[in-house]
């Protein structure tokens, strides 16, 4: 069985415990062995992380020790998958740019706050992850993100829906979901999921299911394609560790 670790906590407003239960259900349906933790110290055992197939961070805001970020980063660089959503992954540790570099983006605003009605549009391209999911409407927060240009965008939403200073720039298609690579590992992010009821919507659970499976599958591929086991692991930027 593939092994997954879910680590939940941080701001309670995102209902991380309830969302963790939904993620655990999805992963067990896919025959994963799942560990659920409510402490960041779960990232302290670097060797244990290397033995996983998937890490699922679910921790909004807060602080994290640089060593723990380095451990997660090293595991993902080795081939372990990383997949998460909403603030639990891309508004996790606002002061840690190494985390943001790894995950591919950072939340900066949600104009109109909760209750904005908007479309989520699947982007048909080279990735088959969402080919079975149709465009859908959601009433929730609409995330405006600063996004790594290296990501492969899988779904978008159109801004602006509500007025604000951003509207002066005209219409933009903001990424909702993406994949990227981090060393030999695969990374997946979905900006939906302000509350557990949004995460439990069928299109959203299917987006997460696809993301979990795709990221976790990368470990075996990484094992078979490794050519240089001595490659130095990136452990962050020195000016982020002072």
């Amino acid at each position: 069985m593939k092994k997954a670790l879910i680590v939940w906590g941080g701001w309670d407003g995102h209902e991380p415990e309830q969302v963790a239960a939904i993620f655990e259900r999805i992963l067990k349906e896919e025959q994963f062995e799942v560990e659920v933790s409510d402490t960041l110290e779960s990232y302290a055992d670097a060797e244990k992380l290397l033995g996983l197939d998937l890490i699922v961070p679910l921790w909004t805001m807060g602080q994290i020790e640089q060593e723990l970020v380095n451990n997660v980063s090293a595991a993902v660089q080795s081939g372990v998958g990383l997949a998460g959503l909403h603030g639990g992954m891309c508004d996790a540790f606002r002061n840690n740019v190494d985390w943001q570099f790894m995950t591919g983006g950072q939340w900066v605003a949600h104009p109109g706050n909760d209750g904005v009605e908007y479309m989520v549009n699947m982007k048909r391209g080279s990735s088959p992850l969402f080919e079975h999911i149709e465009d859908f409407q959601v009433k929730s927060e609409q995330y405006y993100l600063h996004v790594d240009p290296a990501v492969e965008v899988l779904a978008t939403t159109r801004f602006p829906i509500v007025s604000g200073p951003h509207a002066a720039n005209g219409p933009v298609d903001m990424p909702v979901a993406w994949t990227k690579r981090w060393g030999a590992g695969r990374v997946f992010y979905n900006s939906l999921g302000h509350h557990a009821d949004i995460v439990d919507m069928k299109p959203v659970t299917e987006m997460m299911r696809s993301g979990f499976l795709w990221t976790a599958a990368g470990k075996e591929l990484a094992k078979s394609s490794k050519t240089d086991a001595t490659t130095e692991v990136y452990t962050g930027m020195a000016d982020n560790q002072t």
Side-chain angles (χ1 to χ4, degrees), residues 53 72-82 102 179-188 214-219 221-222 225-226:
D53 296 278
V72 175
S73 177
V76 178
Q77 289 174 71
S78 78
V80 178
L82 184 73
M102 175 174 62
T179 58
K180 68 170 288 186
R181 307 302 176 108
W182 189 247
R186 296 175 169 189
V187 177
F188 169 83
W214 181 81
T215 50
K219 187 172 185 180
L221 294 175
S225 63
K226 277 185 179 177

Side-chain angles (χ1 to χ4, degrees), residues 10 14 17 21 35 55 74 100 122 133 142-143 151 178:
H14 280 160
E17 185 173 11
E35 178 184 348
I55 298 170
Q100 295 164 23
M122 302 300 117
I133 303 173
Q142 186 186 32
Y143 261 22
V151 304
W178 63 70

Side-chain angles (χ1 to χ4, degrees), residues 60-77:
T60 302
M61 294 183 283
Q63 303 287 330
I64 189 170
E65 296 293 328
Q66 183 64 36
E67 180 182 359
L68 303 183
V69 176
N70 290 349
N71 289 346
V72 175
S73 177
V76 178
Q77 289 174 71

Side-chain angles (χ1 to χ4, degrees), residues 13-24:
H14 280 160
E15 302 178 347
E17 185 173 11
Q18 297 94 315
V19 174
I22 295 170
F23 285 174
E24 182 180 15

